[in-house]
Amino acid sequence: LLEEYFESVSLKVMDSSLSEWLYSKKYTDTLVTLVSYFGVKFEIDLNEQNDETKVFDYLRNIFDEIKQRFSGDVHNNHGISLKYLRSLLIPVAIDIKNDVKLLSSLRKLASERGEYAHKRLIKTVLSPEDAKDYVNDCLELCEDVKTKAESKFV
């Protein structure tokens, strides 16, 4: 569930940023970050025999490619560890809260999830109290991401 939450937030931020550009011509840090992340650029048609291509159309093609590539990356995401969060959130210009306690809890849950998801193996059983603390910390991380995502569209 945690994995799906971060995936849905990253896709929502991307889609909302693209919609703001398409309908309001508003450029966001998310668009700049996505273009930079994927290193996408366009080629200017220099053939004088062709009709003029509008800048809007050049950019629309870039943003269509970025949407396709980032959506594919998100759908191929398979984890909740920090490296997966970075690949989901940084391209849409959301910084991950640098809190040792929260990130430690995320690492612990990611480790437990990975052991079970990939090996169907449980090495140790978390105490209910520890599990609750880890989950609460991850929920705090989710709330921080939600706040940052919402602040992009105020």
Side-chain angles (χ1 to χ4, degrees):
L1 215 52
L2 194 58
E3 180 179 340
E4 288 85 4
Y5 176 77
F6 290 117
E7 291 170 355
S8 67
V9 168
S10 64
L11 289 173
K12 177 68 174 164
V13 170
M14 177 194 63
D15 287 337
S16 296
S17 295
L18 290 171
S19 291
E20 282 198 359
W21 173 78
L22 184 63
Y23 299 115
S24 304
K25 304 299 180 273
K26 182 178 178 189
Y27 295 89
T28 63
D29 60 347
T30 297
L31 294 180
V32 172
T33 307
L34 282 165
V35 169
S36 299
Y37 178 68
F38 287 106
V40 180
K41 63 182 187 172
F42 60 85
E43 295 290 326
I44 298 171
D45 183 0
L46 300 176
N47 185 339
E48 294 180 9
Q49 303 304 312
N50 292 340
D51 289 337
E52 210 50 46
T53 302
K54 301 217 178 282
V55 172
F56 176 86
D57 292 324
Y58 283 117
L59 292 174
R60 188 169 38 104
N61 290 335
I62 282 178
F63 294 147
D64 286 347
E65 179 181 339
I66 285 170
K67 181 176 183 173
Q68 180 182 2
R69 290 173 64 182
F70 186 65
S71 295
D73 287 356
V74 170
H75 292 299
N76 289 323
N77 177 61
H78 297 294
I80 61 167
S81 69
L82 188 55
K83 72 178 182 180
Y84 292 111
L85 250 57
R86 286 178 178 161
S87 70
L88 293 171
L89 299 175
I90 292 174
V92 293
I94 295 178
D95 291 319
I96 299 164
K97 188 173 186 176
N98 194 16
D99 181 301
V100 174
K101 181 180 176 221
L102 300 183
L103 296 179
S104 176
S105 292
L106 178 69
R107 284 184 188 98
K108 187 65 177 168
L109 279 183
S111 174
E112 295 296 324
R113 176 216 172 267
E115 287 294 323
Y116 182 75
H118 299 294
K119 300 176 185 172
R120 300 282 186 235
L121 175 69
I122 300 174
K123 289 182 182 177
T124 60
V125 176
L126 294 175
S127 72
E129 296 80 14
D130 286 344
K132 182 179 175 185
D133 289 344
Y134 298 149
V135 168
N136 285 335
D137 288 345
C138 287
L139 289 174
E140 185 178 332
L141 192 59
C142 289
E143 186 61 36
D144 181 68
V145 167
K146 176 184 173 209
T147 300
K148 289 174 180 173
E150 289 175 342
S151 73
K152 293 183 172 298
F153 306 103
V154 175

